[in-house]
Amino acid sequence: MLSFTPEELVAIHLSLKIALWATAASLPPGLLVAWALARRNFWGKTLLNGLVHLPLILPPVVTGYLLLLLFGRKGPIGEILDQWFGIVLAFRWTGAALAAGIMGFPLLVRAIRLSIELVDQRLEAAATTLGASPIWVFCTITLPLALPGVIAGAILSFGKALGEFGATITFVSNIPGETQTIPTAIYTYTNVPGGETAAMRLVVISIAISMGALILSELLARRIAGKVVGA
């Protein structure tokens, strides 16, 4: 049952690779956007919040199609990336990482934003009064106290990226060895005679990876929260 074929192992490896890159690339802008939404008032804040959460509302296929229009070889952004930097995202694993990152971005930002909003602003104000710069306050006070939420958001984003299907298959198709992830491989196997066993193997490994990530995030969040309380 759990004797994976080379094609299945490639799909598993590619899924993990795409999910990890999507999460890692989303984390820096996710932190910045979450902090801005939690701590700053500015013109267009409501619009930014709406844009961040739009992938949760739109059908994933629509998001994938918009990515294809923007980042395809003839798209306004994709053409510049291709001609100036030699970077092609459409129908490549890097494009799958982009699509997965965008789909998981709202979950990442929301978890981090809620965590930052729970940080006592009096602590930040006290540090500012003592001469600390905003960046230093964020790095030494806000971020450590919000770290459990950052971890939770990263795990949610990773899980979403791991299971992303609609936007990915629309933007980068389902190319074995290049863009075929666990979800698209399952879709393929369920549409060929005798593919049910292979699909079930991938379902089992997908559940195992997701549960392992959730358990790890819970353990890390508890450990970090305990250290913060102890400090």
Side-chain angles (χ1 to χ4, degrees), residues 44-127:
K45 180 177 179 179
T46 302
L47 178 61
L48 175 60
N49 186 57
L51 289 174
V52 167
H53 290 87
L54 195 59
L56 289 179
I57 307 301
L58 286 176
V61 174
V62 174
T63 302
Y65 184 65
L66 291 175
L67 289 175
L68 187 61
L69 292 178
L70 291 174
F71 292 94
R73 283 181 177 270
K74 299 302 181 180
I77 301 176
E79 188 173 8
I80 294 175
L81 292 175
D82 184 18
Q83 294 183 357
W84 292 11
F85 305 102
I87 298 174
V88 178
L89 295 176
F91 308 107
R92 304 286 176 86
W93 76 266
T94 48
L98 174 64
I102 289 176
M103 294 302 295
F105 195 70
L107 301 176
L108 175 72
V109 171
R110 188 165 184 81
I112 297 175
R113 177 185 178 180
L114 292 175
S115 188
I116 291 176
E117 288 176 344
L118 292 176
V119 175
D120 192 344
Q121 295 190 52
R122 291 175 297 182
L123 298 175
E124 299 171 332

Side-chain angles (χ1 to χ4, degrees), residues 1-2 4 182 186 190 196-210:
M1 175 63 183
L2 293 181
F4 296 100
I182 292 176
I186 292 174
T190 56
E196 294 82 3
T197 302
M200 183 55 66
R201 282 197 294 264
L202 293 178
V203 168
V204 170
I205 196 65
S206 180
I207 293 173
I209 294 172
S210 300

Side-chain angles (χ1 to χ4, degrees), residues 4-14 202:
F4 296 100
T5 65
E7 293 78 11
E8 293 165 14
L9 291 174
V10 169
I12 294 170
H13 174 264
L14 194 58
L202 293 178

